[in-house]
């Protein structure tokens, strides 16, 4: 869906009645008090029960009192305040564990607030930027009372007009004050360090390594600092950073981060920049004649709405499909386009400010609109609706009445289809039985892998660890080497313990419990010990290795080591 700006009303009165027959008016509340735009609307199954809810990042009346709202049908289920105006909302899967419930990400100011089951789960803050050195020097002089507030204001205004590095929020607030308020502001903030913080302007999601609909996704953030950040879905660390010539306002992503992806960023300078994987700078640029107000990808066509009452489509490959684009106009119309053809027009009582189309509740094709006056409109597409290019009446062409000579393969296909219709229940039961058997085998293989623990990796995002064990020797004394690695990108790990659990009647270890040194990210640390076999009957057992945190009883990582039979004792 793309939101276009105002346009003059033209022909299409017949289309209005046609559109009204295609849509069911499910709900209209002009007093819903919802003030938002399309980027802050999301439809998601937040509880994994098949019931899709509407997530709204509400700006509040007049941009005051922003709130996060969740609606089920026309009813508001929950409502919570936000510290700043929302910029975008997105739902994504963070992990593969069951139950597969998506997380909700809401971008507001310099932070991304992540919710799971509508409860706060994590807060990601953008890294701070270095301040302007001239600005820092001025505040240091103000701290030492070497300049007065009026001189400070004049010099800060000069820096704001000429310097390439923007001023901090503290200086910008100071420049907005009256002369009588400046001295008190300086006395209050002159001892504080200057911090320059950027904010998020747009956000979307990118599949991590699979193209499935329920695959794990990464968050892609556009910032006021002309950068794009790709976040890891589990540890929320920055996986990639891309610089742009201008501030991004709309994003469209396709592909997978670990394989190959394409990213289109519409920026404030009126250009659209195309990027690919491993590109630190944009590879292509599309220059628009006006500012973009919406961006959406329809198959391989990139559709852009501009503030010159027009839609633009860009592509390097043509494809066939049935998707269309919705554009909300200032005259209260919502127009539906496929390529250049106008398919239908939906008229609303007020100008539409945001559009969202998808599954809502149990209905697959639901159109949700909010109006300029804060109203909420919900329409459901009829299952019998047919969109025809040019606004003509729907119906079969005359050529369909002609009988065709059906080839033998086609006739065989039709017979097979009829058989599937007649025996559909039995075929479905057979498929379900095979599916359950496949799941059972997969579960058994997974349990066997957990028991063998051939290459254990820590499942917790707080302690990213990897353990690998090697046993050397013929016996009765074996050399056991543990290779412990910190898989995080920048955070060292300290305060870990290694404990061995074994049958004391079969094995003896000089140290069954020892501390682990500081683990630097990316390096593999070998930890060596000796194991003496006490049995003379040629039997072996497993030794369990536990990695724990000091003061905690639950292990962070565990592994089972299958010890070999001692050849020396067996021969004796």
């Amino acid at each position: 869906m793309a939101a276009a700006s105002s346009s003059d009303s033209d022909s299409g009165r017949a289309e209005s009645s046609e559109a009204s027959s295609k849509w069911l008016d499910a709900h209209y509340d002009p007093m819903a008090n919802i003030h938002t735009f399309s980027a802050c609307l999301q439809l998601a199954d937040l509880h994994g029960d098949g019931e899709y809810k509407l997530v709204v990042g509400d700006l509040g009346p007049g941009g005051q009192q922003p709130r996060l709202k969740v609606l089920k049908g026309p009813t508001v289920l929950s409502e919570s305040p936000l510290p700043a105006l929302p910029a975008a909302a997105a739902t994504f899967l963070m992990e593969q564990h069951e139950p597969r419930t998506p997380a909700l990400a809401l971008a507001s100011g310099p932070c991304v607030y992540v919710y799971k089951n509508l409860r706060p789960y994590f807060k990601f803050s953008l890294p701070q930027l270095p301040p302007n050195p001239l600005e820092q020097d001025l505040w240091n002089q103000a701290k030492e009372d070497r300049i007065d507030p009026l001189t400070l204001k004049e010099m800060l205004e000069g820096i704001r007009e000429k310097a390439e590095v923007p001023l901090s929020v503290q200086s910008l607030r100071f420049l907005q004050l009256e002369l009588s308020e400046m001295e008190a502001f300086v006395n209050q903030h002159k001892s504080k360090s200057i911090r320059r913080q950027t904010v998020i302007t747009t956000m979307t999601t990118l599949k991590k390594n699979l193209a499935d609909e329920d695959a794990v996704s990464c968050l892609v953030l556009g910032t006021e600092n002309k950068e794009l950040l790709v976040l890891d879905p589990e540890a929320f660390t920055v996986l990639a950073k891309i610089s742009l010539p201008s501030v991004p306002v709309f994003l469209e992503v396709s592909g997978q981060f670990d394989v190959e992806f394409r990213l289109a960023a519409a920026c404030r300078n009126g250009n659209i920049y195309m990027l690919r994987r491993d590109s630190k700078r944009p590879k292509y640029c599309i220059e628009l004649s006006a500012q973009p107000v919406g961006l959406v990808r329809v198959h391989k066509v990139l559709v852009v709405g501009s503030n010159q009452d027009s839609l633009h489509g860009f592509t390097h490959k043509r494809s066939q499909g049935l998707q269309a684009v919705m554009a909300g106009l200032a005259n209260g119309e919502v127009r539906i386009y496929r390529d250049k053809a106008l398919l239908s027009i939906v008229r609303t009582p007020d100008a539409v400010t945001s559009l969202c189309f998808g599954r809502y509740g149990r209905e697959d094709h639901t159109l949700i609109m909010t109006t300029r006056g804060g109203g909420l409109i919900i329409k459901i597409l009829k299952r019998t609706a047919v969109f025809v290019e040019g606004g003509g009446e729907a119906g079969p062409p005359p050529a369909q009445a002609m009988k065709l000579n059906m080839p033998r393969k086609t006739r065989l296909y039709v017979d097979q289809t009829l058989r599937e219709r007649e025996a559909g229940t039995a075929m479905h039961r057979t498929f379900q039985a095979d599916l359950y058997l496949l799941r059972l085998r997969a579960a058994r293989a997974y349990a066997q892998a957990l028991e063998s623990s051939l290459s254990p990796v820590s499942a917790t995002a707080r302690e990213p660890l990897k353990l690998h064990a090697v046993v050397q020797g013929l016996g009765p004394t074996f050399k056991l080497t543990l290779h412990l690695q910190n898989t995080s990108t920048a955070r060292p790990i300290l305060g870990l313990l290694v404990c061995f659990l074994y049958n004391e009647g079969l094995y003896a270890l000089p140290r069954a419990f020892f501390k682990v040194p500081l683990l630097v990210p990316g390096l593999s640390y070998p930890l060596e010990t000796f194991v003496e076999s006490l049995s003379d009957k040629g039997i072996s057992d497993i030794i369990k290795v536990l990695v724990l945190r000091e003061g905690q009883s639950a292990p962070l990582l565990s592994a089972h080591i299958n010890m070999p039979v001692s050849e020396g004792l067996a021969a004796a």
Side-chain angles (χ1 to χ4, degrees):
M1 287 73 65
S5 62
S6 62
S7 174
D8 295 335
S9 177
D10 56 75
S11 62
R13 302 297 180 183
E15 281 294 313
S16 177
S17 60
E18 179 190 358
S20 63
S21 65
K22 294 181 174 65
W23 299 90
L24 297 174
D25 296 327
H27 176 70
Y28 172 52
D29 182 10
M31 306 301 293
N33 196 25
I34 296 179
H35 306 270
T36 187
F37 47 95
S38 300
C40 290
L41 287 181
Q42 284 291 326
L43 293 169
D45 183 9
L46 298 177
H47 298 94
D49 55 357
E51 189 80 15
Y52 278 65
K53 278 79 172 182
L54 174 64
V55 179
V56 182
D58 192 1
L59 305 177
Q64 304 293 329
Q65 299 178 352
R67 307 184 72 83
L68 172 64
K69 298 180 178 180
V70 179
L71 286 78
K72 179 181 179 182
T75 307
V76 178
L77 289 182
S78 64
E79 188 174 350
S80 57
L82 296 175
L85 292 176
T91 56
F92 66 107
L93 282 172
M94 299 172 51
E95 52 193 12
Q96 295 286 351
H97 303 301
E98 297 289 343
R100 304 294 300 279
T101 56
L104 168 65
L106 190 72
S108 179
C111 302
V112 177
Y113 300 92
V114 181
Y115 299 82
K116 292 197 70 174
N117 296 322
L118 297 181
R119 295 181 179 179
Y121 177 77
F122 189 83
K123 175 185 175 183
F124 172 81
S125 299
L126 294 177
Q128 293 187 2
L129 304 177
N132 191 313
L134 298 177
E135 176 190 8
Q136 182 73 55
D137 183 66
L138 288 177
W139 281 101
N140 290 336
Q141 295 182 27
K143 181 179 180 180
E144 299 171 1
D145 297 328
R146 288 191 289 170
I147 57 174
D148 57 282
L150 186 59
T151 306
L152 177 62
K153 178 182 179 182
E154 294 175 355
M155 300 185 72
L156 287 176
E157 288 178 345
I159 295 176
R160 182 175 60 178
E161 295 174 358
K162 300 179 181 179
E164 296 181 358
V165 179
L167 296 178
S168 63
V169 177
Q170 177 177 322
S171 298
L172 294 177
R173 289 179 179 176
F174 173 76
L175 294 178
Q176 296 175 352
L177 299 177
E178 300 292 337
L179 184 60
S180 58
E181 302 173 340
M182 291 182 180
E183 185 174 357
F185 186 89
V186 171
N187 293 332
Q188 181 181 359
H189 295 85
K190 64 182 181 181
S191 60
K192 300 180 180 179
S193 59
I194 299 297
R195 296 181 179 179
R196 192 164 68 89
Q197 183 77 61
T198 185
V199 296
I200 301 172
T201 57
T202 181
M203 179 176 64
T204 186
T205 58
L206 170 63
K207 299 296 183 182
K208 184 71 166 61
N209 47 28
L210 296 175
D212 299 340
E213 185 177 358
D214 58 345
V216 174
S217 302
C218 304
L219 289 179
V220 183
L221 308 179
T223 68
E224 192 75 24
N225 198 40
K226 305 177 184 179
E227 287 183 339
L228 295 178
L229 303 178
V230 182
L231 302 184
D232 183 87
E234 295 184 1
F236 290 98
T237 56
V238 179
L239 297 178
K241 181 184 294 186
I242 305 172
S243 299
L244 295 175
S246 182
V247 178
V249 291
F250 298 102
L251 296 176
E252 266 296 328
V253 185
S254 63
Q256 301 89 45
F257 178 80
D258 292 339
V259 184
E260 180 62 37
F261 67 91
R262 293 186 178 184
L263 191 148
C267 299
R268 287 183 187 162
N269 60 356
N271 294 338
I272 300 177
Y273 298 97
M274 312 298 296
L275 304 102
R276 289 187 177 183
R277 176 177 168 81
D278 299 329
S279 59
K280 301 299 181 182
R281 293 283 180 178
K283 192 171 184 179
Y284 305 104
C285 175
I286 302 174
E287 296 183 1
L288 302 176
S289 59
Q291 288 292 328
V293 297
L295 179 68
V296 68
R297 185 186 299 273
V298 181
H299 294 298
K300 297 180 180 179
V301 180
L302 200 64
V303 183
V304 185
S306 70
N307 60 358
Q308 287 186 345
D309 312 336
S310 60
L311 290 174
H312 305 271
F314 304 92
T315 182
H316 60 92
K317 293 182 180 179
R318 299 299 300 174
S319 62
Q320 299 295 329
L322 298 176
Q323 292 185 336
V325 177
M326 292 183 179
L329 311 183
N331 60 358
E333 293 181 351
V334 175
R335 297 194 171 192
I336 305 175
Y337 291 91
R338 179 186 178 189
D339 293 334
K340 295 183 179 181
L342 176 63
L343 299 182
S344 182
I345 299 177
V346 180
R347 301 189 182 276
T348 58
D350 195 2
V352 174
T353 58
S354 65
L355 293 168
C356 188
F357 183 83
R359 182 179 176 89
Y360 187 39
R362 300 290 180 176
E363 293 293 333
D364 289 330
H365 308 292
T366 306
L367 175 61
I368 300 175
M369 300 173 283
T370 62
T371 62
R372 183 179 299 169
L376 176 65
I377 303 175
I378 302 176
K379 292 181 177 290
I380 300 174
L381 183 65
K382 291 183 178 180
R383 292 176 174 83
T384 58
V386 178
F387 294 99
V388 181
E389 295 183 1
E393 294 183 359
Q400 288 190 5
M402 300 175 58
K403 293 185 178 181
L404 300 177
N405 293 326
M406 188 177 300
R408 182 176 300 176
K409 290 185 178 180
T410 305
R411 189 180 300 109
L412 180 62
Y413 171 76
V414 173
D415 294 341
Q416 181 69 14
T417 304
L418 294 176
R419 188 185 73 85
E420 291 179 357
R421 287 183 180 180
E422 296 174 356
T425 303
M427 296 174 67
H428 178 70
R429 289 176 179 174
T430 304
F431 170 77
Q432 288 294 328
D434 295 340
L435 180 61
Y436 290 148
L437 182 59
L438 178 62
R439 290 176 177 175
L440 177 60
R441 292 176 178 176
R444 287 176 177 174
Y446 180 68
Q448 184 178 1
L450 290 180
E451 292 178 358
S452 60
S453 299
L454 298 179
S455 181
V457 177
S458 175
T460 61
R462 296 182 178 178
E463 302 294 346
L465 298 172
K466 184 177 180 181
L467 179 63
H468 177 65
V470 177
V471 181
Q472 297 174 317
L474 299 177
T477 301
F478 300 94
K479 182 180 179 181
L480 176 60
T481 305
L482 303 178
H483 296 274
L484 191 59
Q485 183 180 0
N486 178 5
T487 59
S488 66
T489 57
R491 185 171 63 88
I493 300 178
L494 184 64
L496 298 183
L497 303 173
V498 173
C499 177
F500 297 96
L501 300 180
Y502 57 93
N503 189 342
E504 296 182 356
L506 297 178
Y507 299 105
L509 276 77
R511 291 191 306 165
F513 183 85
F514 57 87
K515 293 185 178 180
V516 178
L518 174 69
L519 299 182
V520 178
L523 298 182
S524 178
Y525 289 80
L527 306 174
E528 299 178 351
T529 186
F530 291 93
V531 180
E532 182 179 359
S533 177
L534 304 179
S535 175
D536 57 353
K537 299 179 180 180
I539 61 177
S540 63
D541 198 2
I542 64 172
I543 295 179
K544 189 172 183 180
V545 183
L546 302 179
V547 181
L548 307 96
R549 166 77 66 181
E550 290 186 5
Q552 297 182 3
S553 59
L556 301 176
L557 189 62
S558 64
H560 291 184
I561 303 174
N562 294 318
M563 295 296 297
V565 178
S566 176
E567 295 186 5
L569 291 178

